[in-house]
Amino acid sequence: MSGSVVLLHLAGAVALMLYATRMVRTGVERAYGDLLRQKLRSTMRNPFMAVIVGTALAIALQSSTAVTLLVGSFAGAGIVSGMAGQLAVRGAEIGSALVVKILSFDLTLLVPICIAGGTAIFLATERRTWRQFGRILVGIGLLLLSLEMIGQASEPLRDSKLLPVIIDYFSGDPVTAYLLAALITWLFHSSIAGVLLVVQLAGRGLIPPELGIVLVLGVNLGSSIIAPLLTRGAEPEVRVVPIGNLLMRGLGSLVMLAAFLTFKPSPALIGATSTDQIINAHILFNVIVLVAGIPCSPLVYRASQALVALGTSAKPAESLAMVELSALNQADLGTPSLALANATRETVRVCETVEIMLKRIIELYESANTDKVTALAALDDRVDDKTAAIKLYLAKATIQQMTEDEALRCQELLGACVRLEQVGDIIVRNMLVHVQKKMQRGLEFTPEGWRELSTFHATVLANARLAFNVLISRDPDSARQLVVEKDRLRDFEKETSHSHFARLREGAERSVETSAIHLDTIRDLKQINSLLTSMVYPVLEEQGLLQKTRLKAS
């Protein structure tokens, strides 16, 4: 087999591994992401629990970068402290390393089980959670299959005459090998994929363990760079945790590389086989960084803040004209198709703003101050201004002769604008009032009540994202799924109300204090869900999938 064919097979196997990892992460985020976020909020205040939860979350998402970004957003919102966030990220790095350890075992039997079982679950139900669970199983199966493919694709390299020369070069130039591994990991956007590739090659005897350890240290450097680059345009508070991770993990990998090259310890000390030695070195490195990070957290946190402040002061101010650039091009009003496309683009921006409002309001229930309340109210003003501009633009567009489909799309966008404006009003005029009342009176929900509210909100937020997608894709299956979710939410509301009144009967003091806020919030979220669901009705009507009435014929 020629070298180019071998590399092609290897590239395909690596691509499948990256896709499978992303598939598992997407399934977990869609099915359980919002619930995991709520759990993370409630436990991050305890440093020890922050490490544990960070580890578990990285195993679930199969990505320490995803956890870093999530924790950074919490720190930016003031939900958790920057130091607790950095400890959670340290735990996430260990979780990511443990995933590599788990995947290093012989799990070939799980490949057909996961793929067949996941596909059956995905196709057998319309329930979002179960479909995403099926997606997760298929992703795990494909991930294990990709590891087999990498091993098979690299087998012909044993007989290569060029590979020993390359390996000898990198063994004699560990710094270049270290930097190359960092670059590849950054391209992969996954430390798990980077370490697994090294492990598979070492398991075939293609890489000596000494070089494998150097490459793993490079993988850790590359992984620590990903989150800071992804958040470089975010608010300063959001960037503190990723920068802190870069300081701890990135600089830690440099220190460990220097120590490894200086003292040249035998890899046999941490494992019997080259595979075990590389994996254990990866885990050991992240454990050392965690242990060192506990006493160093205050120092690293202050250094991270200083670096972020330095970057912020050096960053040129953005032009407000660019930030508020409108898609409503007046020159396109003479062409209805272009005008509708412009209006759709602008409506999508309104959807994004509403999604931000819906995400932030639940955070304010937990941690609120006057500045955050004012900022959220300002977003509603933006929604009102943009929806008014869209409605005026569409009114001008109707002066031109439109086809029947264009006229229906125009009405659909107008209806979406009205509903988005109503959702913004509910968040600001109703839910924000509940937040202020809770803040002024110093009220706290019971753990059960907060869990119910968080879960209910997570479901509504997931439905909102689905509704916004349908507005663009006009996919009837997704629209139908959203209506099914609306019915499930109604049943969930009944269960929540029963549980709440049961706590009131038992005389739970905090339930009595927060009863009105709890019930009003559930009502507001249900109304928001109904408004967003009604945005997809035109798609269902087009397909003849929508009944005119729920009433039975008499």
Side-chain angles (χ1 to χ4, degrees):
M1 186 182 295
S2 67
S4 58
V5 175
V6 172
L7 292 177
L8 182 62
H9 279 279
L10 189 59
V14 172
L16 179 61
M17 178 172 60
L18 295 174
Y19 175 77
T21 304
R22 177 67 177 269
M23 190 175 184
V24 173
R25 183 166 69 249
T26 301
V28 172
E29 287 177 344
R30 290 181 179 177
Y32 314 107
D34 293 306
L35 182 59
L36 289 173
R37 291 181 179 90
Q38 301 300 337
K39 294 290 185 183
L40 190 60
R41 282 194 186 102
S42 61
T43 55
M44 283 277 290
R45 293 180 175 86
N46 184 315
F48 177 75
M49 286 303 299
V51 175
I52 299 298
V53 173
T55 301
L57 201 58
I59 293 174
L61 295 175
Q62 296 200 351
S63 172
S64 58
T65 301
V67 178
T68 303
L69 296 174
L70 179 61
V71 173
S73 67
F74 285 165
I79 295 173
V80 299
S81 68
M83 285 188 287
Q86 290 182 2
L87 291 176
V89 172
R90 298 275 61 76
E93 305 297 357
I94 293 178
S96 176
L98 291 177
V99 170
V100 176
K101 184 68 175 179
I102 294 169
L103 294 176
S104 68
F105 297 124
D106 185 8
L107 303 173
T108 52
L109 185 60
L110 290 179
V111 174
I113 295 175
C114 288
I115 293 178
T119 302
I121 293 173
F122 187 85
L123 297 177
T125 180
E126 292 294 328
R127 295 190 63 176
R128 175 190 293 142
T129 303
W130 280 103
R131 285 172 68 88
Q132 296 308 322
F133 179 68
R135 182 192 297 273
I136 294 168
L137 287 180
V138 173
I140 293 174
L142 292 178
L143 179 58
L144 297 174
L145 178 62
S146 70
L147 297 178
E148 292 184 33
M149 292 175 60
I150 290 175
Q152 295 170 0
S154 60
E155 188 67 29
L157 294 176
R158 290 175 181 268
D159 303 323
S160 171
K161 296 180 180 180
L162 179 61
L163 185 63
V165 177
I166 297 174
I167 296 301
D168 287 342
Y169 172 76
F170 283 121
S171 296
D173 188 0
V175 175
T176 300
Y178 169 81
L179 295 176
L180 180 62
L183 176 62
I184 291 175
T185 303
W186 176 76
L187 292 173
F188 285 177
H189 270 44
S190 170
S191 61
I192 292 177
V195 176
L196 285 175
L197 180 59
V198 174
V199 167
Q200 288 296 313
L201 296 177
R204 299 281 169 170
L206 301 174
I207 296 178
E210 292 82 3
L211 178 59
I213 292 174
V214 170
L215 292 174
V216 162
L217 291 174
V219 167
N220 281 279
L221 172 65
S223 179
S224 67
I225 295 172
I226 298 171
L229 289 178
L230 291 177
T231 58
R232 62 187 182 276
E235 298 175 355
E237 295 81 2
V238 176
R239 296 163 54 203
V240 170
V241 170
I243 292 295
N245 183 47
L246 176 60
L247 291 177
M248 287 295 298
R249 196 180 182 196
L251 291 180
S253 69
L254 281 172
V255 172
M256 292 299 294
L257 176 67
F260 183 73
L261 296 179
T262 301
F263 299 105
K264 294 182 171 52
S266 172
L269 296 173
I270 54 175
T273 65
S274 60
T275 298
D276 289 338
Q277 291 164 5
I278 292 172
I279 294 174
N280 292 341
H282 182 47
I283 297 174
L284 179 62
F285 167 75
N286 284 288
V287 170
I288 291 173
V289 173
L290 170 63
V291 174
I294 293 175
C296 294
S297 287
L299 177 62
V300 173
Y301 181 61
R302 288 194 296 270
S304 304
Q305 287 181 312
L307 287 174
V308 170
L310 182 64
T312 302
S313 61
K315 184 177 179 180
E318 291 183 300
S319 169
L320 289 179
M322 291 298 295
V323 174
E324 298 298 331
L325 183 64
S326 173
L328 305 177
N329 190 345
Q330 301 295 318
D332 292 334
L333 285 172
T335 308
S337 60
L338 292 178
L340 291 173
N342 292 339
T344 301
R345 286 173 54 200
E346 197 70 6
T347 305
V348 169
R349 293 180 179 178
V350 177
C351 290
E352 293 171 350
T353 304
V354 169
E355 182 178 347
I356 292 172
M357 293 176 66
L358 193 53
K359 286 175 63 178
R360 288 186 178 175
I361 188 64
I362 198 67
E363 297 171 357
L364 295 184
Y365 271 77
E366 189 173 11
S367 174
N369 58 46
T370 304
D371 291 339
K372 293 179 181 179
V373 169
T374 303
L376 188 62
L379 289 179
D380 183 51
D381 293 337
R382 179 182 296 185
V383 169
D384 292 341
D385 292 341
K386 285 187 175 293
T387 52
I390 294 170
K391 288 185 283 187
L392 179 60
Y393 186 80
L394 289 173
K396 292 179 180 179
T398 56
I399 297 175
Q400 302 295 323
Q401 184 67 31
M402 289 186 173
T403 65
E404 183 178 353
D405 288 342
E406 289 172 342
L408 290 174
R409 180 59 172 171
C410 182
Q411 291 300 317
E412 186 178 345
L413 291 174
L414 283 170
C417 286
V418 171
R419 290 168 177 80
L420 290 170
E421 192 173 357
Q422 290 173 329
V423 169
D425 289 342
I426 292 172
I427 293 174
V428 171
R429 298 179 184 177
N430 294 358
M431 299 181 71
L432 206 53
V433 172
H434 306 330
V435 168
Q436 292 171 318
K437 183 186 298 184
K438 178 178 177 292
M439 180 174 61
Q440 291 166 359
R441 299 182 182 179
L443 302 178
E444 292 293 336
F445 293 108
T446 63
E448 298 82 3
W450 177 243
R451 183 168 57 251
E452 290 170 357
L453 277 181
S454 300
T455 305
F456 201 90
H457 172 268
T459 304
V460 174
L461 181 59
N463 290 346
R465 290 167 176 159
L466 186 58
F468 299 155
N469 289 339
V470 173
L471 183 65
I472 306 303
S473 67
R474 308 195 84 254
D475 176 42
D477 291 335
S478 298
R480 184 173 178 275
Q481 180 185 349
L482 189 58
V483 175
V484 172
E485 292 293 332
K486 179 184 177 183
D487 292 336
R488 286 186 57 241
L489 192 74
R490 185 175 63 250
D491 296 336
F492 185 28
E493 182 210 8
K494 293 178 182 177
E495 296 173 8
T496 301
S497 298
H498 290 325
S499 299
H500 179 72
F501 285 118
R503 290 193 298 273
L504 288 179
R505 285 194 297 271
E506 292 170 0
E509 183 177 349
R510 281 196 287 176
S511 292
V512 174
E513 292 176 340
T514 59
S515 178
I517 296 177
H518 182 105
L519 295 175
D520 288 346
T521 299
I522 293 291
R523 180 204 63 200
D524 294 333
L525 288 171
K526 182 186 175 186
Q527 187 177 357
I528 288 172
N529 189 78
S530 298
L531 287 168
L532 295 174
T533 302
S534 65
M535 286 171 52
V536 308
Y537 285 171
V539 177
L540 297 174
E541 288 174 349
E542 241 179 54
Q543 302 292 324
L545 299 174
L546 194 65
Q547 295 180 355
K548 295 190 176 184
T549 178
R550 288 180 178 271
L551 297 175
K552 292 183 179 180
S554 55

